[in-house]
Amino acid sequence: MLAIGYSAALHGIDAYPVRVEVVGVPTTDTGIHIVGLADRAIQESRERVNAAVRSCGFLFPTYRVVVNLAPANRRKEGAVFDLALALTILAMDQQLDGSRLSEFVCLGELALDGAVMPVGGVLPAALGVKRAGFTRLLVPAANAREAALVDGLTLYPVRTLQQAVQVILGLSDIGVASEGIADSVSSDHMRYAEDLEDVCGQERVRRAMEVSAAGGHNILMIGAPGSGKTMLARRVPSILPSLTRSEALEVTKLYSVSGLLRQTSRLVTTRPFRAPHHTVSATALVGGGATPRPGEVSLAHFGVLFLDELAEFPRAALEVLRQPLEDCCVTVCRTSATVIYPADFMLVASMNPCPCGYSGDRQRGCTCSPHAIRKYLSKLSGPLLDRIDIHIEVPRLHHDELANGKRSESSSSVRARVERAREVQRRRLGGEGCNARIPAKRLRELCRLDDAGRFLLTGAMAKLQLSARAHDRILRVARTIADLAGAQGVGTPHIAEAIAYRSLDRSLLAV
């Protein structure tokens, strides 16, 4: 007898329904044979399903069981199919009603004792099956809050295989309507442990951070050890605008696919902040692997990717950042499929100005030779630096500046100005665009300069030997500075400030 159930499989951060077809074959060879491009985790489910079915007091077929996961031409991965496999096998063996089973999409991993364990990717799976027209979703109880973010579904949170069987037989009515999420994510949900008011002094750096946040520009901080670079970087998310509904949902999908919602199982309402160690590999940074998974750049989507001690990162890891910085996505190509992960993040990086860290420091002399400094700075390629809009020096504070007790401006005050500037950019660009993403074909139109501004920028291009990409980055930063000032056009002072944020270009020429 043929029985049919349904589950879901992931492709990138999206999902599609999988038809689970089970048939019994009367041969002397017993066991489960799974076809349909199933990975090793699915193949191992044969033993998990067998043990779980027997542990829950059901009979397991004593003949050969053939399972097909359709569509058969798309690779499927993970243990999410366990529950669907067990229920469909029981329906094939006429231990439950197969016609009712076909109304449900079943997700969950089975323990050997029949417990239904949580799995990753439930949110995109719920979105995928809703698009396909399904309305009933059987999920692990631990994933129920995650699945409830998708409205229009009836959820059945189960803890054991016995409970799932009772739902299919109609003996247990535990179905609840999914809640969905509000049209926008309230700023009341924004909770950041760090605030800019904790930072003493550093007014010029704080200004650069505000410009960076207002326009979505990448920023690199250069300074001696102990100057506060890391402290400042960790406070960048607190001055960014709150996530919109669509942004929060997309970030939550990424974290769901990565299995990072298993403990919290809730909507991500704050901007992500990812800070990988400088020993990170290129694959871990941008994603990929034999079984493709999102990397740190995707987990920082709509948030901040902080690379501390930038010059210490492997050259290969830094160079693979070029595509996501330019395209806001990562394309992972494999022989079986091509997966695209979103990666629209703001890069915040920090580094020392030289190997000893004290070049240009007011309080401690540098012991490095010009050759050593040049070699150290050359670890960062020109194409990568071109993609970083703002380079700002972070001086070490004197003791008197730390002890004066003067209270700094809070993150909420800075965020209010940032949000006003972002609103101007949204009206100008449409949708949710920001100045860092101004299309090249509209750059001259939106950043039109007068004669004085063109003369200043031309001189800076010649003196600093800037590339065409750096030229366009300066224009975009100047547009953001003008927006913060409430100016309609880009003036000479805005261009001058934007050029001043290219300190690393000047440092490379000086050594």
Side-chain angles (χ1 to χ4, degrees), residues 206-482:
R206 290 165 61 98
R207 167 64 176 175
M209 286 175 56
E210 182 178 337
V211 173
S212 176
H217 303 288
N218 303 317
I219 182 171
L220 170 62
M221 295 180 284
I222 309 107
S227 57
K229 302 185 297 295
T230 301
M231 184 179 186
L232 286 160
R234 291 190 177 279
R235 283 152 179 78
V236 172
S238 69
I239 64 173
L240 291 173
S242 57
L243 289 169
T244 64
R245 178 189 183 277
S246 60
E247 288 174 341
L249 196 59
E250 193 161 334
V251 172
T252 306
K253 284 171 63 178
L254 277 161
Y255 277 69
S256 176
V257 168
S258 303
L260 300 178
L261 288 181
R262 295 186 185 182
Q263 297 299 321
T264 57
S265 296
R266 59 180 176 82
L267 184 71
V268 176
T269 57
T270 56
R271 299 272 177 180
F273 181 87
R274 304 293 298 183
H277 192 261
H278 60 74
T279 57
V280 67
S281 68
T283 300
L285 191 59
V286 300
T291 299
R293 286 290 181 269
E296 291 292 331
V297 298
S298 294
L299 295 177
H301 187 49
F302 293 136
V304 173
L305 176 68
F306 176 46
L307 301 184
D308 197 9
E309 302 298 341
L310 186 66
E312 303 300 328
F313 279 76
R315 183 69 176 258
L318 293 179
E319 293 307 305
V320 296
L321 286 175
R322 293 191 198 178
Q323 186 222 355
L325 284 174
E326 200 73 27
D327 301 336
C328 300
C329 66
V330 174
T331 304
V332 180
C333 298
R334 295 292 180 267
T335 54
S336 57
T338 297
V339 178
I340 299 176
Y341 294 116
D344 187 359
F345 61 94
M346 182 177 145
L347 175 65
V348 178
S350 69
M351 63 179 290
N352 295 332
C354 65
C356 78
Y358 296 100
S359 176
D361 187 61
R362 297 178 297 178
Q363 305 172 36
R364 182 169 174 177
C366 174
T367 60
C368 304
S369 66
H371 173 73
I373 296 176
R374 181 178 290 275
K375 182 178 179 182
Y376 181 78
L377 295 177
S378 68
K379 292 181 179 180
L380 307 180
S381 68
L384 178 62
L385 287 177
D386 277 350
R387 288 168 170 83
I388 301 178
D389 305 356
I390 297 176
H391 314 154
I392 187 73
E393 295 174 354
V394 185
R396 281 204 300 166
L397 296 178
H398 193 271
H399 172 71
D400 294 340
E401 297 174 281
L402 295 171
N404 64 14
K406 182 180 178 181
R407 193 173 184 84
S408 299
E409 190 177 20
S410 68
S411 291
S412 59
S413 300
V414 177
R415 184 169 62 248
R417 294 195 296 269
V418 168
E419 288 177 340
R420 285 196 294 271
R422 287 284 184 109
E423 181 58 32
V424 171
Q425 295 164 45
R426 278 192 288 269
R427 290 198 300 267
R428 180 192 302 127
L429 298 171
E432 299 173 356
C434 59
N435 285 336
R437 309 288 181 240
I438 294 178
K441 62 182 179 181
R442 297 196 62 192
L443 190 59
R444 302 301 182 273
E445 169 199 345
L446 300 178
C447 305
R448 188 176 290 109
L449 304 179
D450 56 19
D451 291 340
R454 281 194 294 271
F455 178 79
L456 179 61
L457 183 54
T458 301
M461 289 284 294
K463 186 173 182 180
L464 300 179
Q465 301 173 15
L466 299 177
S467 67
R469 181 182 285 113
H471 171 275
D472 289 352
R473 299 276 176 175
I474 289 175
L475 286 178
R476 292 185 176 99
V477 172
R479 179 67 267 178
T480 299
I481 295 169

Side-chain angles (χ1 to χ4, degrees), residues 109-146:
E109 176 184 343
L110 288 177
L112 298 184
D113 62 353
V116 180
M117 309 300 291
V119 292
V122 168
L123 176 58
L127 289 167
V129 300
K130 179 188 174 183
R131 284 194 300 269
F134 290 92
T135 59
R136 295 186 177 185
L137 188 60
L138 211 66
V139 296
N143 292 123
R145 290 182 62 196
E146 181 182 344

